[in-house]
Amino acid sequence: KASESAAVNAGMGELLLAEGNVVGAKAAFGRAAELDPNLSEAQLGLSRVAFAENDVDGASQYVDRALELDPRIKGGFLQKGFVLWKKGKLDEAISALGEAKKNEPGNVEVTLTLGAVKLAHNDLTGAEAALLAALSQEPRNHKANFYRARVKSRRAEHTQAIESMKAALEAAPKNAAYHYEMGIIFREAKKSSEAMAEWKIAIELDPSFADAMQELGQAHLDRGEFEPAIDQFEKALKVDHSRASLRGLIGDAYFQAAHWDKAIKQYREALKADP
């Protein structure tokens, strides 16, 4: 009924992006921006699409344009915080998220993202304060519990880290990244069997999860289980050919198994890939 309405097209872009249809969202937000170049929601939507496509520079340009058009647009400074975080500009990201908090004081996503960025900045006290504030609003928020678990793990408070990650997994049991991180926490707590179980789940949920394969392979190697270690390292290499260090780890497994020729071959392959 209103196919030429910029606002309607921007609304469709929001819906498609929420459904995970990035291509469709890009077309809808692009059409909205054509119809009304000054519609801040269209520019913000294009920033979120660019971010989803890993085009960080494009995401930065679009969100700056959106905030220029409307400095109080909902989600504007939050998106700017995401972009700056991705760029590694943590101080600027924290500043942007501070502005987001002023504009949207009740937005849990802003508070927990601020905690996550402070964690990346190694401000564990500030990170935990922000994450606890988020959890006071939404005790079952899986992102807040996930990042709080990482804070606790960084402090070597393993029991609390495990409890927080369990809470995250109860709310989002099919999140492969959460299972992977739970494995890291178990590993740090010297619970290797539990860690390996979590990495196996992460790989089942995401068969391209090279980090989980590498950790699982390393755990097998540490146990002297050479064949399963080599199997996981090779699977990770198939997923990510750029991991020259995996060739070195395969060499280590062959070395420890006393297969000298195979070890030498892998070490040479590793050096060829990364001198």
Side-chain angles (χ1 to χ4, degrees):
K1 291 185 177 180
S3 59
E4 298 303 298
S5 163
V8 168
N9 278 279
M12 180 61 80
E14 289 289 339
L15 174 59
L16 291 169
L17 196 57
E19 289 181 338
N21 184 346
V22 176
V23 174
K26 186 175 186 176
F29 285 127
R31 180 61 180 147
E34 280 178 23
L35 292 166
D36 183 358
N38 294 320
L39 183 66
S40 58
E41 287 81 2
Q43 299 297 325
L44 180 58
L46 286 169
S47 175
R48 291 168 63 203
V49 165
F51 193 82
E53 293 179 331
N54 210 28
D55 175 10
V56 183
D57 290 333
S60 181
Q61 290 170 14
Y62 284 123
V63 74
D64 285 345
R65 175 67 177 145
L67 287 167
E68 182 184 310
L69 292 166
D70 180 4
R72 294 186 62 80
I73 182 173
K74 185 178 179 181
F77 278 106
L78 174 59
Q79 175 65 8
K80 189 172 179 67
F82 279 132
V83 170
L84 291 166
W85 181 15
K86 184 77 170 177
K87 284 185 167 185
K89 298 180 178 180
L90 301 181
D91 287 324
E92 292 176 49
I94 289 169
S95 177
L97 291 165
E99 290 298 315
K101 211 168 178 190
K102 289 178 191 174
N103 286 352
E104 304 174 59
N107 189 331
V108 175
E109 186 78 12
V110 171
T111 308
L112 74 86
T113 305
L114 183 59
V117 176
K118 286 187 175 185
L119 171 62
H121 204 288
N122 209 31
D123 175 7
L124 300 184
T125 302
E128 186 162 28
L131 294 166
L132 284 172
L135 286 166
S136 70
Q137 289 178 264
E138 291 185 16
R140 284 181 51 80
N141 188 295
H142 59 89
K143 289 182 184 177
N145 277 303
F146 169 74
Y147 286 113
R148 185 164 185 246
R150 293 185 66 187
V151 170
K152 291 298 184 183
S153 181
R154 192 82 67 83
R155 286 177 165 163
E157 296 171 356
H158 303 306
T159 301
Q160 290 174 291
I162 290 166
E163 289 304 312
S164 289
M165 194 58 74
K166 279 182 179 176
L169 282 165
E170 281 174 13
K174 295 192 181 297
N175 190 311
Y178 290 6
H179 285 284
Y180 170 76
E181 195 66 34
M182 178 65 106
I184 298 294
I185 291 168
F186 277 133
R187 185 195 68 195
E188 295 299 316
K190 311 299 182 190
K191 296 176 181 284
S192 64
S193 296
E194 291 90 337
M196 293 170 78
E198 291 296 331
W199 291 325
K200 285 175 184 175
I201 295 170
I203 295 164
E204 285 172 14
L205 292 168
D206 180 0
S208 65
F209 206 147
D211 285 341
M213 293 169 190
Q214 183 166 341
E215 289 290 350
L216 184 55
Q218 184 66 61
H220 279 300
L221 183 58
D222 292 342
R223 288 179 162 207
E225 298 164 354
F226 305 125
E227 287 186 17
I230 291 166
D231 180 56
Q232 289 300 325
F233 293 145
E234 287 180 342
K235 285 178 179 176
L237 261 176
K238 283 180 185 175
V239 172
D240 184 357
H241 301 294
S242 69
R243 297 182 181 229
S245 62
L246 286 170
R247 292 280 181 201
L249 289 170
I250 294 170
D252 289 346
Y254 280 127
F255 180 87
Q256 291 181 39
H259 295 310
W260 317 118
D261 291 343
K262 289 181 179 180
I264 288 167
K265 181 183 176 183
Q266 291 297 327
Y267 289 141
R268 283 180 171 155
E269 288 290 329
L271 287 167
K272 184 179 176 182
D274 182 359

